Structure formats: structure tokens, C-alpha cells
Amino acid sequence: MVSVRIPDNNVNERKYILDIILGEFLGLEFELSVGSQDYEIELENKQVLTIKDTFFNKYPNDLEYLKLENIPKEIEELDIFAASFFMLTRWEEYVNRNRDNHDRFPANESFAFKNNFLDRPIVNEYLEILKILLLQLDCGLTFKQYKFTKNISCDVDIPYETYTQSVIKTIKKVAGDIVKRKNIK
């Protein structure tokens, strides 16, 4: 089991993102404790990976970060956990009240758009960086395996059309093909 130590502020946010990143995505079981200046991940072989806390440490009080002026202007240092929290929770949409005429948050207002990574799976890239760092400390570490499948969907313009109406329309179309177009196929 992995041991993780975190600072004592914004604990709920830190716990949430660790549950997602380490637990859900990587499939690692971990114990969490408070009392560190940064994120410290101690593996079973006693090797420790320290991720510098470059965001939440600026906001010692819970939810103090939830202000428009606290959205970074550019990427400075990589705090994998705070950056992933920012991207997954989309809290910038909560503090930035700019909306389009359908009351949606416009993509061009986002930090990702302004920093040219809107079309990149940035959290997945952070996960890969984290995996590489952890594997350097313990090459026997195993992560959750994913099996990807295709789920094809379509947009239905008239979702409530009755079966009878569909049958009648199909018969008319077939009859039209045979009679008007002289095409049985």
C-alpha cells in the first residue's frame, strides 16, 4: 500500500484529486495523512516521490482559491495534482462568469485555450508523467489496466416517433422506390 502525506490546507480538494489520480486512474491503494509541506508519496519499497505544492500552498484557508484572480495566467511550475484538480473540476467556469448567448462557458475564455492546449488530454499526460516518476522509484509497480471499446452513438432528430409511423413511412418509401423509380433494390 502506498502512503501519501499532504499539507493541512484544502484537504478536501487534495483528497478528491488523489482519489481520482492515484485511486481511480492508476488503481493504487493508498493511505492518506496530513502533515507535509508538499505531496509525498511513499511506495512500499520506502522510496518517496515528492511533488512540490505550488498552488494550494498560496491559499491557506479552505476555498480561498475560488476567485477569478487566482486562475493562473500562464503555466509556471507543474503541480500535477493541483493542475489536474483545476482541469477536472472546471472551477474556472465557476469563478469566470462570462457566458455565451446560451449561458455556456465559452472555450475561448478557458485557461486551456489561452495556453494552447485545449485539444490535448492534459490530465492523461500528467498521469503518464506521474507513472514514469513512480516507476523510476519502483519498477515493479503495477497500474490499473484499461480495455477500450467503441461505443457508437447517433443523433436522433425525432426520438419519439412511434413504431407505427416508422412502419408506414418505410412502406411508402419502398412503394415509391418500386413504382416511381422502378427500382426494387
Side-chain angles (χ1 to χ4, degrees):
M1 174 152 325
V2 174
S3 296
V4 180
R5 287 179 296 283
I6 59 172
D8 62 358
N9 67 323
N10 299 289
V11 172
N12 289 331
E13 289 85 345
R14 295 174 194 273
K15 182 178 182 335
Y16 165 80
I17 200 59
L18 289 167
D19 284 342
I20 296 296
I21 297 292
L22 298 179
E24 181 66 27
F25 289 163
L26 297 182
L28 298 175
E29 291 184 26
F30 67 95
E31 293 178 333
L32 185 65
S33 62
V34 175
S36 173
Q37 286 189 323
D38 297 303
Y39 297 90
E40 294 178 359
I41 303 170
E42 183 176 336
L43 304 176
E44 288 185 42
N45 66 4
K46 301 301 180 198
Q47 295 290 318
V48 177
L49 173 64
T50 301
I51 305 284
K52 187 153 180 62
D53 176 15
T54 62
F55 181 75
F56 285 124
N57 67 350
K58 298 175 189 173
Y59 310 102
N61 300 315
D62 286 349
L63 304 177
E64 185 180 6
Y65 64 91
L66 279 178
K67 296 178 184 165
L68 184 60
E69 62 267 17
N70 294 337
I71 296 174
K73 303 296 181 242
E74 58 186 18
I75 300 169
E76 296 168 3
E77 291 182 69
L78 180 57
D79 176 343
I80 290 173
F81 298 114
S84 296
F85 180 82
F86 178 80
M87 295 304 297
L88 294 178
T89 63
R90 306 298 308 135
W91 67 261
E92 76 175 313
E93 295 179 27
Y94 174 77
V95 298
N96 184 339
R97 294 298 179 190
N98 291 330
R99 297 291 186 264
D100 67 11
N101 57 352
H102 298 289
D103 198 33
R104 297 174 302 197
F105 182 74
N108 63 356
E109 285 286 328
S110 72
F111 179 79
F113 177 84
K114 292 174 182 174
N115 286 276
N116 300 312
F117 67 89
L118 184 63
D119 295 326
R120 289 177 52 192
I122 199 72
V123 174
N124 292 69
E125 292 177 20
Y126 294 157
L127 282 168
E128 292 304 314
I129 291 168
L130 184 59
K131 282 165 96 173
I132 290 167
L133 293 171
L134 290 170
L135 285 170
Q136 285 180 346
L137 298 177
D138 184 352
C139 62
L141 204 56
T142 58
F143 301 107
K144 184 176 184 177
Q145 298 295 311
Y146 291 90
K147 182 179 179 186
F148 297 97
T149 60
K150 290 183 185 179
N151 292 317
I152 300 171
S153 66
C154 63
D155 185 16
V156 178
D157 293 329
I158 307 172
Y160 299 110
E161 185 174 40
T162 65
Y163 175 76
T164 305
Q165 290 170 332
S166 296
V167 170
I168 292 168
K169 283 184 179 180
T170 302
I171 291 169
K172 285 181 179 179
K173 186 174 187 272
V174 169
D177 284 341
I178 294 170
V179 175
K180 289 182 184 176
R181 292 176 277 284
K182 307 260 191 269
N183 183 350
I184 199 159
K185 287 183 182 181

